[in-house]
Amino acid sequence: MFPQHVSIWASLILGPLLAPMSLVSPTAHVGPTPEQDEPVQEAPGLRPEVLDEAYRFRLTQPSEGWTLLDEASIRSILGDALAGGCEVQDGGAWFAVLAQHMPGVSIEAATTSFLDSMLQGSGSPESVQDVTFAGQPARRYHVLTEEAGQPIDYVGFVYAKGDHIFQVTCWGPRGKVAPDSELIHKIEAAYTVLDGPVTATRTREDVGDQYGVGWSLASDVFTSTAYGFRAQFDGDWRSIAGSPLKQLDPGAELGFEHVQLEAYGSIVCETVDPENSANHLASLQNEFREGFEQIECNVTVSMFGKGVRLMAYRDSAAVPFIYFRALAEHEGTVMEFVVWALASRRVELERVLRQRFPSITRLSPEERAAAQLELDARPDPENIVTAGQSLRRGVFRDHAAGILWTKPKGLWRVSPGETDAGVDAEFRVEIFNPQLGVSIVVLATPTRQTPEQGLFTLMEFFAGDLSERPEVLEWTVGEHAGLHADLARDNGIHLRFLSVPVEGTTYDVVVQGPQAHMRNAREPIGALLKSFRFGAGITPAIQELNGLHWDHRLGYALSRPAEDWTKSTVPIPGGEAVGSGVQYSRGGEEIYVVAFCVPTGMDMAALQDLMAQGIGGSLEPFGQPTQVPFQGLTATQRAFDDGHAQMLFVQREKTLYLLGANSELRPANLEDTLKLFAFTD
């Protein structure tokens, strides 16, 4: 039965990560998904046909095996999409329908702008051709990419209906998705453009309350304890925070959109040395001067209680955009406010900014401290799983490099490491405190030099040639002895280098931030470093102990039912980096567990339906899904083929666990699987 399971993973896990960006927006936008836990709910949007009367199109199933997604379901995966579909067989494939109001823009210009945004100057499309799509003049593009080590192709069609530009785009494995492939012809046949004008109007949606490290969003009031400000949006403005913000602008503290004008914006903050803030502001002023035309703007807005004049710019893209930008500084926090829209919207957007500019005020020290106490009382919102690492429930584990770290409460944001092929070192994790403006990078590399030589090699990599070598002192990181040295740079940045040799591996720690902040941050940095453990004694990702399968990376264990049951791995092609699976089988019976960290922007309910569709294969659903309690959580139970296949989906933070049982001769006994399963932390 498990061969049916395999093909779903590449499409489910890679699909949302590779989703195409908005039609012509400079950055992508994905609909709201809270960072914290949500109760599991059923997604009503999966159906064999999607009819959109407002946008005037109809979708039918391209062929057996395709699952169609209506707007409510696909917007949790690709925020600007109106409908789409997923095929879970033969490596999987996705397609999506997008539309944007773009009066006066030709399909040629729209296609060029979309491809510019998609490729980001890193190449050119394989082909762009004039074609007919669903009876409409259209442009078809073909783009070859490689994402997460997987070769992926995009084929899309761009057509116009009135003042709206539509895009129907498909993506999937190379060879399966191609301009004249059978799959593309099936999607073309499944899409119908309806007669009559587009009558759709966008409405403002409630994004719900959310929170993350150093921020919260409640009733459309965004509070940043990280940078000490509060932003409130009203009218047609809508906040974008948490996971969706990472796709809009990964470096922003907050994003937002104006639903009527289809304008997007972000607030980017940075903590700098107060003595150097004026120079930093001056350097930021120059960023928009190259490649942009500055235009007159007489709008003054309030930021941090100060009057700030907006600057306006226009780019030279095939479909030009207008940008309004403001910069402000308060007590070492530099804030950049940017909002953009189609250049044709300039007058409307300028009027909205003059009349309904978001309220951006500073928090008093007492307000900031009280808000942070509320955040500290909640579960840690960060949940990260990579090929050899995990951060769950406040504990970071690097099984590949031998690192264990317990995350303290407060404003520490974690990013998993990645290998830099240009140096003989491996970046394992970066930890950043936005309030302090301090970052901590941990590296691991085989020991090839004396500790002192290795320390100077590290310093030269980060700081360049050293005119003179700083003093080297003894230091401890957690329970490990090592060396450290400090280096002050001319730009006000202070760096501390620590090197700890442990069992043939050198663990290097680089701490950097504004010099004044580094002095004030000695105590929290010292407390953070004390909780690191290094070495080969760190628990491996997978362990087999006395018939018990332990997966420490995903946080679960499954016991062997009896000695005569055979253990095997559930393959997850394309998804091994974020998931894992194990099964035990005997004769015609199987029990299994599959778990993975949910990709950014993926809706849990839609994901469950897609998994059930793929794993169920050609099996017939048996009864209705039911909500059941499971180890203090709410789970969804499903059955197929007269009960011969049983599944239970349970979400714990941002990890989804699928527990299943299959039986060829009698109804499957899911209870046995549940009794043999345990969370390990």
Side-chain angles (χ1 to χ4, degrees):
M1 190 173 293
F2 271 100
Q4 292 179 331
H5 298 202
V6 173
S7 62
I8 186 173
W9 296 104
S11 60
L12 286 183
I13 295 175
L14 289 177
L17 297 177
L18 306 177
M21 291 184 287
S22 305
L23 195 59
V24 294
S25 298
T27 52
H29 162 58
V30 175
T33 298
E35 277 203 357
Q36 67 270 27
D37 292 354
E38 290 185 323
V40 177
Q41 297 177 345
E42 286 302 304
L46 301 174
R47 56 191 64 188
E49 178 180 288
V50 174
L51 175 65
D52 195 318
E53 296 277 9
Y55 281 98
R56 310 306 298 158
F57 68 87
R58 177 190 290 114
L59 277 179
T60 57
Q61 282 185 296
S63 61
E64 184 179 350
W66 278 91
T67 297
L68 295 185
L69 299 169
D70 65 4
E71 183 175 0
S73 295
I74 199 167
R75 286 220 166 186
S76 67
I77 299 168
L78 181 60
D80 290 333
L82 301 171
C86 173
E87 184 192 33
V88 297
Q89 305 299 324
D90 302 324
W94 288 76
F95 76 92
V97 182
L98 303 96
Q100 188 165 355
H101 185 243
M102 302 175 66
V105 176
S106 67
I107 60 173
E108 291 80 11
T111 304
T112 299
S113 186
F114 170 74
L115 291 172
D116 287 345
S117 179
M118 182 180 182
L119 295 168
Q120 295 289 309
S122 62
S124 58
E126 188 75 5
S127 65
V128 180
Q129 295 177 303
D130 292 321
V131 296
T132 299
F133 175 76
Q136 309 295 312
R139 297 275 280 175
R140 183 183 67 194
Y141 63 80
H142 180 206
V143 173
L144 309 180
T145 65
E146 185 170 303
E147 303 286 349
Q150 302 287 325
I152 302 295
D153 282 29
Y154 290 85
V155 173
F157 299 87
V158 180
Y159 73 91
K161 187 169 181 63
D163 288 337
H164 283 74
I165 297 290
F166 286 75
Q167 180 191 173
V168 181
T169 187
C170 177
W171 64 101
R174 185 149 304 159
K176 182 175 183 177
V177 176
D180 292 315
S181 64
E182 180 182 1
L183 181 146
I184 292 299
H185 290 317
K186 288 180 178 179
I187 292 175
E188 290 185 71
Y191 190 90
T192 303
V193 177
L194 303 178
D195 293 335
V198 173
T199 58
T201 57
R202 299 187 70 199
T203 58
R204 186 180 186 279
E205 301 171 0
D206 182 15
V207 300
D209 294 350
Q210 308 175 45
Y211 76 95
V213 178
W215 64 268
S216 64
L217 178 63
S219 302
D220 250 353
V221 177
F222 180 86
T223 301
S224 173
T225 59
Y227 294 104
F229 74 91
R230 179 170 286 131
Q232 185 167 0
F233 295 85
D234 57 12
D236 288 319
W237 292 105
R238 184 179 76 93
S239 306
I240 303 171
S243 297
L245 180 60
K246 294 177 183 178
Q247 297 200 22
L248 176 73
D249 186 345
E253 186 72 1
L254 174 64
F256 48 89
E257 69 168 325
H258 191 282
V259 294
Q260 296 300 325
L261 298 181
E262 297 184 83
Y264 296 89
S266 64
I267 292 176
V268 178
C269 297
E270 186 176 357
T271 300
V272 300
D273 190 332
E275 296 180 0
N276 195 44
S277 60
N279 293 334
H280 191 75
L281 275 176
S283 66
L284 289 176
Q285 295 279 10
N286 295 323
E287 283 188 356
F288 261 65
R289 293 190 177 175
E290 185 174 345
F292 293 86
E293 174 193 0
Q294 186 166 359
I295 57 181
E296 184 178 355
C297 180
N298 296 311
V299 179
T300 299
V301 298
S302 177
M303 296 172 63
F304 289 140
K306 305 174 184 178
V308 180
R309 186 169 178 175
L310 286 177
M311 300 168 285
Y313 304 86
R314 177 188 173 105
D315 66 21
S316 56
V319 179
F321 275 76
I322 185 77
Y323 301 81
F324 291 93
R325 184 172 183 249
L327 297 169
E329 183 272 338
H330 178 74
E331 296 180 354
T333 295
V334 174
M335 175 183 289
E336 179 185 27
F337 172 98
V338 181
V339 60
W340 61 88
L342 290 172
S344 59
R345 299 279 200 178
R346 173 190 171 183
V347 174
E348 298 168 274
L349 181 55
E350 188 170 336
R351 182 177 65 250
V352 167
L353 292 172
R354 181 181 288 110
Q355 297 173 352
R356 302 295 292 273
F357 187 80
S359 170
I360 302 174
T361 57
R362 66 182 180 88
L363 297 174
S364 69
E366 295 76 17
E367 290 174 321
R368 191 172 185 176
Q372 186 57 46
L373 281 176
E374 291 183 9
L375 290 174
D376 287 343
R378 296 181 172 188
D380 187 88
E382 292 190 308
N383 194 87
I384 302 167
V385 173
T386 67
Q389 302 175 327
S390 66
L391 171 62
R392 293 189 336 278
R393 305 173 75 82
V395 178
F396 174 80
R397 299 173 177 87
D398 189 329
H399 305 284
I403 301 173
L404 181 67
W405 172 61
T406 300
K407 180 182 176 184
K409 290 287 187 180
L411 293 166
W412 298 105
R413 296 175 177 176
V414 179
S415 301
E418 55 188 36
T419 300
D420 185 337
V423 296
D424 185 20
E426 192 169 356
F427 290 75
R428 305 309 305 176
V429 64
E430 180 177 6
I431 306 161
F432 176 63
N433 188 306
Q435 181 178 12
L436 300 175
V438 171
S439 70
I440 300 171
V441 177
V442 180
L443 308 91
T445 184
T447 302
R448 296 192 179 97
Q449 299 175 303
T450 66
E452 187 167 337
Q453 289 173 331
L455 188 64
F456 286 125
T457 299
L458 179 71
M459 295 176 71
E460 289 175 347
F461 170 69
F462 275 89
D465 293 334
L466 303 176
S467 55
E468 59 181 72
R469 293 192 169 187
E471 183 181 8
V472 176
L473 303 173
E474 293 184 353
W475 189 261
T476 59
V477 179
E479 60 189 38
H480 309 287
L483 301 176
H484 94 273
D486 290 85
L487 189 65
R489 309 301 292 165
D490 294 338
N491 59 1
I493 297 298
H494 186 94
L495 297 101
R496 169 162 290 180
F497 301 90
L498 304 100
S499 188
V500 180
V502 181
E503 301 170 355
T505 299
T506 296
Y507 297 91
D508 294 311
V509 181
V510 181
V511 186
Q512 58 182 326
Q515 191 161 347
H517 295 174
M518 289 281 284
R519 288 194 299 267
N520 298 331
R522 288 176 181 172
E523 185 175 339
I525 292 174
L528 181 147
L529 293 176
K530 283 182 180 179
S531 63
F532 270 100
R533 282 181 51 208
F534 301 121
I538 305 302
T539 305
I542 302 293
Q543 274 187 311
E544 181 73 25
L545 295 173
N546 302 321
L548 191 65
H549 173 88
W550 289 75
D551 189 320
H552 297 284
R553 190 170 63 106
L554 275 298
Y556 73 90
L558 185 66
S559 298
R560 185 189 303 271
E563 287 296 326
D564 58 343
W565 286 67
T566 301
K567 175 185 169 183
S568 59
T569 299
V570 178
I572 310 178
E576 298 89 344
V578 294
S580 72
V582 63
Q583 69 166 323
Y584 291 106
S585 59
R586 182 187 64 181
E589 295 182 287
E590 299 166 334
I591 68 168
Y592 61 92
V593 174
V594 173
F596 66 93
C597 186
V598 179
T600 298
M602 173 66 84
D603 176 77
M604 281 290 186
L607 176 58
Q608 289 180 29
D609 280 298
L610 290 171
M611 288 178 66
Q613 186 88 332
I615 292 174
S618 59
L619 301 180
E620 290 294 324
F622 180 64
Q624 295 297 317
T626 57
Q627 303 291 304
V628 297
F630 179 71
Q631 298 193 20
L633 302 169
T634 300
T636 301
Q637 187 168 338
R638 297 173 181 266
F640 294 86
D641 199 19
D642 293 328
H644 287 266
Q646 301 266 359
M647 288 178 274
L648 184 129
F649 297 87
V650 60
Q651 176 189 349
R652 193 178 189 224
E653 292 153 0
K654 289 176 108 176
T655 304
L656 182 64
Y657 299 87
L658 165 59
L659 288 64
N662 303 320
S663 178
E664 293 180 359
L665 302 178
R666 56 188 174 86
N669 187 352
L670 183 62
E671 289 301 317
D672 286 347
T673 307
L674 304 187
K675 291 176 183 177
L676 297 169
F677 173 89
F679 295 117
T680 58
D681 52 27

